[in-house]
Amino acid sequence: KQWYQRRVRGAMGVVTFGSIMYYIEEDQPGSEFNSILKACWWAVVTMSTVGYGDLYPTSVPGKLVGSVVVFLSMVFMALPMTIIVSKFSRAYEEMKEPNQMVGAALEDPQGSQLSINGKPDVETGHDKLHPPGRNSTAL
């Protein structure tokens, strides 16, 4: 439900700011904003902070609206990414901790690390999970 609401709000922002930019820039000489769809494309590119440079406002009011769009897109799109990245980082660290315990449990008495994937060890040439002389089920 939250995902849907964000998409609706984003679409409303694109249409709103695209329409505003079109009506500000439509009569400016040399302006590329000759349709609302082009202005909506500008809003998508600007709000996603990509900024291709294919469309840009030429009038002072258009530049002010563009600045507002960039600021609002950073507040509503880019700043939440820091929250997402920090939560991802925390989850990744929590995920690594159980794997470290598994790695410690898979050490043999000589202290060498056992192969988790069952591939042969480069030094000895045999599988450390099932070394010669051991019962393969007795791990």
Side-chain angles (χ1 to χ4, degrees):
K1 187 174 180 177
Q2 290 177 353
W3 179 86
Y4 177 74
Q5 289 174 346
R6 284 188 198 142
R7 297 300 173 239
V8 168
R9 287 183 192 141
M12 287 173 48
V14 166
V15 171
T16 301
F17 286 116
S19 299
I20 290 170
M21 187 59 73
Y22 169 73
Y23 288 115
I24 289 174
E25 292 285 321
E26 71 176 330
D27 294 330
Q28 296 297 320
S31 176
E32 294 289 324
F33 292 92
N34 51 15
S35 72
I36 291 181
L37 286 177
K38 269 192 168 180
C40 287
W41 169 250
W42 169 85
V44 167
V45 170
T46 304
M47 290 176 80
S48 65
T49 67
V50 173
Y52 290 126
D54 55 347
L55 291 174
Y56 51 90
T58 55
S59 67
V60 173
K63 291 177 182 180
L64 289 174
V65 169
S67 299
V68 169
V69 170
V70 168
F71 176 75
L72 290 177
S73 67
M74 287 177 27
V75 168
F76 291 113
M77 294 177 116
L79 288 180
M81 289 306 288
T82 59
I83 297 168
I84 292 168
V85 168
S86 68
K87 287 187 178 190
F88 174 79
S89 178
R90 189 177 327 136
Y92 181 72
E93 289 299 321
E94 290 173 3
M95 184 185 75
K96 275 178 43 176
E97 289 175 8
N99 287 344
Q100 289 172 351
M101 290 189 288
V102 168
L106 289 176
E107 288 185 5
D108 66 5
Q110 290 84 20
S112 63
Q113 189 73 21
L114 296 176
S115 171
I116 294 175
N117 60 6
K119 292 184 179 176
D121 185 17
V122 177
E123 296 172 7
T124 62
H126 58 73
D127 182 359
K128 285 192 169 186
L129 279 179
H130 311 289
R134 281 196 185 175
N135 185 354
S136 64
T137 60
L139 204 172

